Amino acid sequence: MASISLTFPDGNAREYDAGITAAAVAESISKSLAKKAISATVNGEHWDLQWPINENATIALHTIQDDVQANELVRHDLAHIMARAVQEIWPDTKVTIGPVIKNGWYYDFDRKESFTPEDLITIEKKMKEIINKRDAVRTEVWERDVAIKYYEDRGEPYKVELIEGIPGDEPLRMYWHGEWQDLCRGPHLQHTGQVPGDGFKLMSIAGAYWRGDSDREMLQRIYGVAFTGKEKLKAHLNMLEEAAKRDHRKLGREMDLFHMQEEAPGQVFWHPNGWRIYTELQDYMRRRQRAGGYVEVNTPQVVNRQLWEKSGHWESYQENMFIVEVDEDHAREKTVNALKPMNCPCHVQVFNRGMKSYRDLPLRMAEFGSCNRYEPSGALHGIMRVRGFTQDDGHIFCTEEQIETETKIFIEFLSEIYAELGFTNWAIKLSTRPEKRIGSDAIWDQLETSLGNACKAAGYEYDIQVGEGAFYGPKLEFVLTDAIGRDWQCGTLQVDSNMPERLDASYVGQDGNKHQPFMLHRATLGSFERFIGILIEEHAGKLPFWLAPRQVVVASIISDADDYVHEVVAALNASGVRAEADVRNEKINYKVREHSVGKVPVILAVGAREVEERTVTLRRLGEKQTSVQALDDVKAALAVESTPPDLR
RNA sequence: GCUGUAGUAGCUCAGUGGUAGAGCGCGUCAUUGGUAAUGACGAGGUCGGGAGUUCAAUCCUCCCCUACAGCACCA
C-alpha cells in the first residue's frame, strides 16, 4: 500500500498508509484524542473523521473546543437528530433538507398535521434521548440509482428529487445516525453523544416553500439554535431578549414616535416626536444633497396609467399598485390612475422638458418622493416595510463613461452620511444579471465591472449576489441590520438604460446627434420610514443629540423653582435646543425615571440652589452622576451639540 | 400571498358558557420632595369585526380584518 505524509499544525509530518481516516490518525496520536476528536481540517477542507485521506496533506484535528468547526458540526448533527426524532414520533413525516444557519439550523418537513408549540417540547425531549444513546454516526458513498431506489421504496420523494438535482459525477454520501438515515454532504460527529445535550433549543415553527418556490409545496420548518455549551446558549438567548427591547415598534410606542392602525395597514401615523426625527433627518438630507450637486424636484402623486404602461410598470406591477379612479358620477371622463409606486418615470418627464445637452450631464435630480405600493400583507413589518413611504430618491442622468465615477461619488456621499448618523457596520452587495434580462452580455459585463470598480475605488469591499440584479441592470445594495440581526436594504444604486429608452429621454451630444442617457436610480437612506426604524434600533432609542426629538427636559425639584425653569427653557429654545419644562407636582425621582424611559438625552434639574446660583444640574441619559454647571455654559454647549454634523 | 400563532382598559397581561379583573398610565386631592416609580380616592372596556350554535357567547363553530414569526415578494 502506498504511504502518504500528513503535516500537522506544528509543522511535524508523519507517514501513514494511503486511505487512512482522520479517526485513525487521531488514534495513532493518543486514545484520549481519538475519543475527543470531532472532525479534521484536511488541506483546508472540513473533513469527516471517517473519510479516507488518499494523498499527502496538511491536517488539523478538531475537538469541541474549536468553536467554528464544533458549531458547524453540532448544528448539523442536531438537524439530523431532530429529523430522526420527528420521524420516530410521527413516522408518516417526509424529510427534505436541514442546513446549518447563523446560530443554529432548521429542517423542513412535509407532514399533514401542523406542528404545535407543544410538539417542540416533545421533539426536544426525544432529541435528548437520542443524544444520550450515543448512537454511532456512519457514512457510505452510494450509487445514484441505488440511492434513488432506496428513497422511492421508503416514500421519500423530496430526497429523490434532491438526488436528481445533484450532478452525475458527484458522489452521493449517505449518513446514518443510529438506524436513521439521511442524504448528506457531511461532515458529521462520531456519535450522537458528542452533541452537548444542554446547548440547544428549538425556537419556532414556520412555513417554507419547497426549494424556495412559491408554486411548490408549503413545508413546515422548525428552527433551532445551538452552541457548544449551556452557557453560550444562555448568552445567546439573553442577547435576543435584550435585542427585543430595542425593537423599533416597542421604542416607537415608549418614545411616542408613531403608531399604526387597522384602517391604514402598512402606513405610519407620525406623532410629534417621531415627526421631529423625520423632519430633522430630511432637513439634513436636503442640505447634503444640495452640497452634493443635486437639484431637488417634486412630482405628482396620482398619475394616469398611460405613463405606467409606457414605463412598463403597469405590466409588471399592476397588482402591487394602488389604483385611483374618480367616481363616475362626478367625472367628465373615466380615467384610471395609480398612486406613484416610484418616482423615476416622473423624473424622466422633468428631464425631458426642453433640450438637454451633454454639457448638462451628469444631471443629478433628487426628490423626497412619497410612494405607495400595495405590498403583500405578509411582507409588512413595523415601519421598515410599509405601503406608504417616502424615498430620498434621486436619479443621475449620465453618459456611459460617467457611470463609474458617479457611482464612486455616490458611495462616498452615502458612506459619509451613514457615518454621521452613527452606523459603523454596513455592507455593500452587488447584484448581478438575473436570468430574465434585457441587454447584451457584453454590456452587463461592463456595467457589473463598473459598479465593482467604483466600490473598490471608494475603498469598500462587496459581496456578490448572483442573479439578483434588476432585469434592466445591475445594482448595489447598501445593507444595514436591525436589532436581532436581520438585513435591510437601505441605500441602493441601480444602472438603467431601459427607462430612458422607454420614455424617450435624450440629450444632444458633442457630435450634434441625439443620444440616450443612462439613468442611475439611487437612494441613500432608502426610505425615511425604514431608515428611522433602523436608526432607532441601532441606537436603542438613544439617538444622537441633534436627532433626538426631545433633547432637554428642565425639571423643577420644588415649585418655587418654576419661574426659573421656564427661563431656562426659553433660553435653550432661543439658542436652538429643543427643551421643555416639567413643573408637574412630582418628585424629581419620578421625573428622572419618566424622561429616562422616554429616552430624553439631557435632564436639567433645578431646585433652590440652582435658582440662587443661576446654575442647572445636568444628568445625561444612561449616566448616574450629575454635574452642576452655569446656565450660560450649558446653553452654549448644548447649542453646539444640537447642531447637525454637517453644520458644525 | 402562503404556513403557523395571537387580538380582553392607553400599555403589559390575568380570567370565565351566566355581558369582566390586576399592575402601570390617566383624573382629583394631599404631599415641596435633590436624580429611575410619594400616598389616598376615582374614571376608564360594545373582550378586533360579522354571522352561527345556545335559554344565554368575550369564551364554542365559521368567515373576515389586523398584528407577530418564517417563507415567497421588494420596480
Side-chain angles (χ1 to χ4, degrees):
Chain A
M1 188 174 275
S3 84
I4 57 170
S5 163
L6 297 181
T7 310
F8 291 85
D10 63 6
N12 288 326
R14 286 169 74 161
E15 298 292 314
Y16 291 97
D17 290 339
I20 189 166
T21 64
V25 173
E27 186 80 45
S28 77
I29 294 169
S30 82
K31 264 225 154 66
S32 70
L33 180 60
K35 216 168 171 180
K36 282 197 307 197
I38 55 170
S39 66
T41 292
V42 176
N43 280 341
E45 253 181 83
H46 200 191
W47 206 259
D48 194 301
L49 290 178
Q50 295 181 44
W51 297 349
I53 305 166
N54 293 316
E55 53 195 58
N56 294 345
T58 59
I59 184 168
L61 291 159
H62 301 300
T63 67
I64 198 82
Q65 307 300 332
D66 299 319
D67 257 356
V68 174
Q69 290 80 11
N71 276 331
E72 161 87 21
L73 290 172
V74 163
R75 289 163 187 168
H76 202 171
D77 279 74
L78 278 164
H80 284 232
I81 290 168
M82 180 171 78
R84 172 175 158 186
V86 166
Q87 285 201 315
E88 283 182 11
I89 303 170
W90 300 281
D92 57 335
T93 307
K94 301 193 187 322
V95 290
T96 66
I97 55 163
V100 172
I101 54 175
K102 198 176 164 189
N103 299 321
W105 81 93
Y106 67 75
Y107 206 110
D108 288 349
F109 300 99
D110 185 12
R111 171 174 173 243
K112 271 201 192 69
E113 297 75 27
S114 297
F115 292 116
T116 65
E118 294 75 53
D119 288 343
L120 292 188
I121 298 167
T122 315
I123 297 168
E124 227 171 73
K125 209 174 138 215
K126 181 65 117 184
M127 289 170 72
K128 285 183 179 162
E129 282 171 31
I130 295 169
I131 289 168
N132 285 334
K133 281 183 182 165
R134 304 172 69 84
D135 277 340
V137 175
R138 187 160 63 77
T139 179
E140 289 175 11
V141 175
W142 281 20
E143 293 300 320
R144 279 171 94 72
D145 46 350
V146 179
I148 288 176
K149 175 85 171 39
Y150 176 83
Y151 282 123
E152 277 174 347
D153 290 348
R154 304 191 55 151
E156 294 284 8
Y158 298 97
K159 290 291 176 191
V160 174
E161 189 177 331
L162 283 176
I163 293 173
E164 282 164 350
I166 296 173
D169 52 345
E170 240 176 72
L172 294 179
R173 198 165 271 290
M174 307 293 261
Y175 266 92
W176 284 261
H177 283 67
E179 292 306 302
W180 188 84
Q181 190 283 329
D182 202 357
L183 169 76
C184 183
R185 202 173 271 132
H188 277 285
L189 295 166
Q190 300 195 78
H191 60 85
T192 61
Q194 283 187 319
V195 174
D198 55 4
F200 76 95
K201 181 169 164 45
L202 301 187
M203 299 297 280
S204 61
I205 312 152
Y209 297 108
W210 170 235
R211 305 222 130 173
D213 182 345
S214 59
D215 292 329
R216 309 240 10 214
E217 297 85 341
M218 171 65 71
L219 307 170
Q220 297 187 65
R221 174 172 299 178
I222 301 179
Y223 284 92
V225 293
F227 298 87
T228 52
K230 189 177 174 181
E231 289 309 311
K232 285 175 186 156
L233 172 68
K234 225 169 110 185
H236 177 73
L237 296 176
N238 215 21
M239 185 278 289
L240 286 181
E241 220 170 279
E242 286 303 310
K245 293 180 187 162
R246 297 190 303 169
D247 189 309
H248 75 281
R249 293 165 294 195
K250 184 175 154 69
L251 287 168
R253 203 168 39 238
E254 290 171 0
M255 297 169 71
D256 194 16
L257 302 179
F258 58 84
H259 85 270
M260 305 177 86
Q261 65 185 51
E262 282 195 18
E263 288 81 355
Q267 292 172 90
V268 186
F269 291 79
W270 287 103
H271 296 192
N273 286 343
W275 194 243
R276 271 247 83 114
I277 303 174
Y278 187 114
T279 51
E280 200 63 45
L281 196 54
Q282 190 179 53
D283 292 348
Y284 166 77
M285 285 308 296
R286 177 168 279 136
R287 292 190 303 269
R288 274 298 202 168
Q289 287 183 342
R290 271 188 200 148
Y294 288 83
V295 288
E296 188 177 326
V297 299
N298 196 266
T299 61
Q301 247 11 262
V302 181
V303 178
N304 194 292
R305 90 182 242 188
Q306 286 169 8
L307 183 63
W308 305 115
E309 282 169 350
K310 210 169 171 200
S311 71
H313 292 105
W314 190 265
E315 197 193 345
S316 308
Y317 292 105
Q318 195 185 336
E319 314 80 64
N320 298 310
M321 288 161 82
F322 281 98
I323 306 301
V324 181
E325 293 178 43
V326 179
D327 187 324
E328 205 137 13
D329 293 341
H330 300 92
R332 280 193 295 274
E333 59 184 302
K334 183 108 172 142
T335 61
V336 176
N337 308 285
L339 286 181
K340 72 173 166 185
M342 55 180 345
N343 307 298
C344 25
C346 294
H347 286 189
V348 176
Q349 306 312 304
V350 176
F351 180 87
N352 282 355
R353 286 288 155 144
M355 291 293 275
K356 293 290 182 296
S357 146
Y358 72 95
R359 295 174 192 275
D360 296 319
L361 307 184
L363 176 60
R364 307 187 187 116
M365 189 185 290
E367 174 176 6
F368 296 116
S370 290
C371 297
N372 289 272
R373 296 178 185 176
Y374 189 79
E375 300 287 11
S377 55
L380 302 179
H381 180 96
I383 63 171
M384 308 254 245
R385 183 83 182 269
V386 285
R387 288 182 176 154
F389 53 92
T390 301
Q391 299 175 316
D392 62 324
D393 204 1
H395 294 92
I396 301 168
F397 295 87
C398 64
T399 65
E400 191 169 348
E401 297 72 51
Q402 291 167 335
I403 291 175
E404 192 168 314
T405 313
E406 283 301 307
T407 303
K408 172 175 175 276
I409 292 172
F410 175 68
I411 296 170
E412 288 163 349
F413 176 80
L414 174 142
S415 61
E416 275 176 37
I417 289 169
Y418 281 17
E420 286 190 341
L421 294 173
F423 291 95
T424 46
N425 281 318
W426 51 277
I428 305 182
K429 294 182 179 170
L430 169 58
S431 297
T432 59
R433 69 196 79 183
E435 273 181 39
K436 275 179 74 177
R437 62 177 180 266
I438 57 170
S440 69
D441 283 357
I443 291 197
W444 277 93
D445 285 342
Q446 199 177 327
L447 295 179
E448 287 167 7
T449 308
S450 291
L451 294 191
N453 287 346
C455 291
K456 286 178 213 148
Y460 290 95
E461 295 295 313
Y462 56 89
D463 291 327
I464 292 180
Q465 293 184 306
V466 177
E468 294 293 311
F471 73 90
Y472 49 74
K475 65 175 172 184
L476 293 177
E477 290 181 18
F478 302 87
V479 179
L480 296 170
T481 50
D482 70 10
I484 64 169
R486 287 177 290 217
D487 282 351
W488 293 90
Q489 179 205 306
C490 290
T492 184
L493 182 140
Q494 308 182 16
V495 188
D496 185 4
S497 62
N498 179 53
M499 186 80 54
E501 185 187 338
R502 291 188 77 120
L503 298 177
D504 306 316
S506 67
Y507 66 93
V508 178
Q510 209 161 359
D511 57 6
N513 295 323
K514 269 191 172 185
H515 298 272
Q516 202 185 86
F518 273 83
M519 230 177 142
L520 305 180
H521 306 255
R522 43 106 290 164
T524 312
L525 308 181
S527 80
F528 284 94
E529 288 75 7
R530 175 174 296 181
F531 198 88
I532 290 172
I534 293 275
L535 195 62
I536 293 167
E537 300 205 357
E538 173 76 14
H539 293 286
K542 299 175 188 171
L543 296 172
F545 194 80
W546 68 279
L547 275 173
R550 305 168 63 208
Q551 295 176 321
V552 177
V553 168
V554 186
S556 56
I557 294 168
I558 50 167
S559 54
D560 281 347
D562 288 1
D563 289 345
Y564 182 59
V565 165
H566 292 299
E567 189 192 330
V568 172
V569 167
L572 290 170
N573 283 335
S575 53
V577 177
R578 294 188 281 278
E580 43 195 276
D582 184 354
V583 293
R584 291 175 305 169
N585 178 13
E586 297 291 351
K587 290 190 172 177
I588 191 64
N589 294 17
Y590 183 89
K591 295 181 183 180
V592 166
R593 177 184 151 76
E594 186 173 289
H595 301 306
S596 298
V597 169
K599 303 282 189 285
V600 176
V602 169
I603 297 172
L604 300 180
V606 166
R609 211 163 56 217
E610 288 81 0
V611 173
E612 179 72 20
E613 297 168 348
R614 296 195 60 78
T615 55
V616 291
T617 300
L618 185 147
R619 178 192 165 118
R620 289 202 179 255
L621 180 58
E623 292 177 10
K624 272 239 157 27
Q625 76 275 22
T626 58
S627 65
V628 181
Q629 296 179 37
L631 171 58
D632 289 341
D633 294 348
V634 168
K635 194 176 77 178
L638 292 181
V640 171
E641 226 179 304
S642 73
T643 306
D646 63 312
L647 296 178
R648 277 179 206 158

